[in-house]
Amino acid sequence: MTVFQRRESEVQSYARAFPVVFDQADGARLTDRDGRSYLDFLAGAGTLNYGHNHPKLRDALVDYIQSGGITHGLDMHTEAKEKFLETFEEVILAPREMDHVVQFTGPTGANAVEAAMKLARQVKGRNNIIAFTNGFHGVTLGALAATGNQHHRGAAGVALTGVDRMPFDGYMGDGYDTTDYLDQVLSDASSGVERPAAVIVECVQGEGGLKAADFGWLRHLEAVCRKHDILLIVDDIQAGCGRTGTFFSFEPAGIKPDIITLSKSLSGFGLPFAVTLIRKDLDAWVPGAHNGTFRGNNHAFVTAATALDLFWRDGKFAESVREKGDYLTNRFRRIAERFPELGLKLRGRGLMQGLVYPDGDLTGAICKECFKNGLIIETSGPNDEVIKCLCPLIIDEADLAKGLDILEEATATVLARQASQAAAAE
Ligand code: PLP
């Protein structure tokens, strides 16, 4: 029995799908302790957009530590924080004409969501928040109330309150604009839906099955929020930091969210780090009201500022993500064409795309086969029916092609195996 079996809680999850002991990592690759190399198309569930151990980020961090830089400073001002804020202002906020202030929350995405929801409730003096079907916002109680996933909700043990659910874009089928429904219930004082403080939305639903909201839908959602005096929170924890081909996932829709949550790839290096961006006039916090010991991770400030400098000062990196996203779309189309019997559908945007398979048993078998052949890739969606590509954005074309080859061949292998098992059973 390994120490993981003896001493690690049953709550472990990814470890079950990839049951080896990993030891080294570099770029888009992980190596286990037996020296076997894997292409990593999970990338820390969207945390490693710039790959594992990017040498420039690593060097900046090592230099900082060796020079005696501060590791922990509560939320006190440090040079590392100053540099991060200045770089974030200069490279991200100012060019987008965003006057948002930065709240350093506890270092997980869920904590940034908790802060966003609390603040919206305070500002508007209302309890209710609207979240969307299949949305995922974290598993602490406040955020979990906004999360749709039954597996996670079922673990809460208490009533999850203060959130009403509305259908996400496409939930009611094509040709039905679900923001019209939202507008309708909010316009009817007796609809039974309390006027919310805010709406929280992912522009591309990471855990919920890679559904990408239409830009027109997002614009109409924003208009409905303005019409009813409701704040718009975009949860960009998974889709942000360049994953969809722009720094924020909402940019091509042209909307201006009041509050934005960011985490995962913000540190650029896989270090825990989360922020809630707040439109300046909504910053109603009193000092310390949303507190926490680990607010502002100085090591993450160093790597985050370096990553912003390296990748976001001009548009070249974003352009490369869009190009790789186009390649991914084409490859997914080819896979769908090769297996017409599966009726595979494409979802997502940029390097956040997935293939919808008929069911979660099939995707589970395919991901297992991928792992056998050196590819780490995971499922998403209400029934795990979507195989999702979250490869590092810095991946080179050869590795991207190789990973997709493995996925395509794994699909063929699993289908052939199923066919021969069915024949044998007859
Ligand atoms: N919001 C979104 C969109 C996410 O994808 C996630 C995590 O996958 C979270 C919030 C929660 O982040 P964390 O797991 O760091 O609490």
Side-chain angles (χ1 to χ4, degrees), residues 124-352:
K124 291 295 174 192
R126 299 176 206 140
N127 167 60
N128 196 21
I129 304 263
I130 298 282
F132 289 95
T133 47
N134 304 129
F136 185 87
H137 302 287
V139 297
T140 52
L141 290 179
L144 187 56
T147 289
N149 185 291
Q150 190 47 40
H151 179 65
H152 295 110
R153 291 176 70 84
V158 295
L160 296 169
T161 59
V163 174
D164 273 331
R165 195 118 1 228
M166 287 288 146
F168 189 70
D169 187 24
Y171 196 73
M172 308 301 291
D174 290 345
Y176 188 107
D177 186 340
T178 60
T179 50
D180 284 339
Y181 173 67
L182 177 63
D183 188 20
Q184 181 68 28
V185 296
L186 294 176
S187 304
D188 174 358
S190 297
S191 67
V193 176
E194 249 180 64
R195 187 146 70 115
V199 158
I200 183 163
V201 68
E202 294 160 272
C203 298
V204 182
Q205 293 189 319
E207 301 304 304
L210 279 297
K211 289 177 197 135
D214 180 79
F215 297 149
W217 186 87
L218 287 169
R219 283 192 286 272
H220 194 224
L221 178 65
E222 181 184 50
V224 172
C225 286
R226 303 292 171 239
K227 176 175 166 190
H228 296 279
D229 182 31
I230 294 162
L231 298 179
L232 177 60
I233 304 171
V234 169
D235 180 348
D236 230 5
I237 285 166
Q238 191 160 154
C241 300
R243 180 52 61 186
T244 64
T246 46
F247 187 81
F248 295 109
S249 65
F250 54 80
E251 287 177 60
I255 60 171
K256 295 195 179 309
D258 302 298
I259 300 177
I260 300 144
T261 55
L262 284 177
S263 180
K264 289 201 188 269
S265 277
L266 183 60
S267 82
F269 201 65
L271 296 170
F273 186 31
V275 297
T276 301
L277 306 179
I278 305 163
R279 217 180 69 203
K280 197 168 180 53
D281 61 304
L282 299 174
D283 185 17
W285 289 116
V286 294
H290 187 81
N291 222 332
T293 307
F294 294 103
R295 284 173 304 129
N297 172 346
N298 279 276
H299 289 174
F301 291 148
V302 172
T303 53
T306 310
L308 292 174
D309 250 342
L310 211 55
F311 295 103
W312 294 100
R313 286 220 175 253
D314 61 31
K316 286 194 201 112
F317 177 66
E319 182 56 35
S320 77
V321 176
R322 292 193 288 270
E323 280 167 16
K324 287 176 206 169
D326 290 344
Y327 173 79
L328 178 59
T329 307
N330 287 333
R331 285 297 308 268
F332 272 179
R333 277 204 193 114
R334 266 174 42 198
I335 296 176
E337 278 160 19
R338 178 167 165 194
F339 307 104
E341 68 277 29
L342 295 179
L344 302 178
K345 292 198 179 59
L346 276 63
R347 286 215 192 122
R349 273 204 279 137
L351 282 177
M352 190 172 184

Side-chain angles (χ1 to χ4, degrees), residues 405-416:
D405 289 346
I406 295 174
L407 173 64
E408 184 169 341
E409 288 320 306
T411 303
T413 305
V414 170
L415 287 184

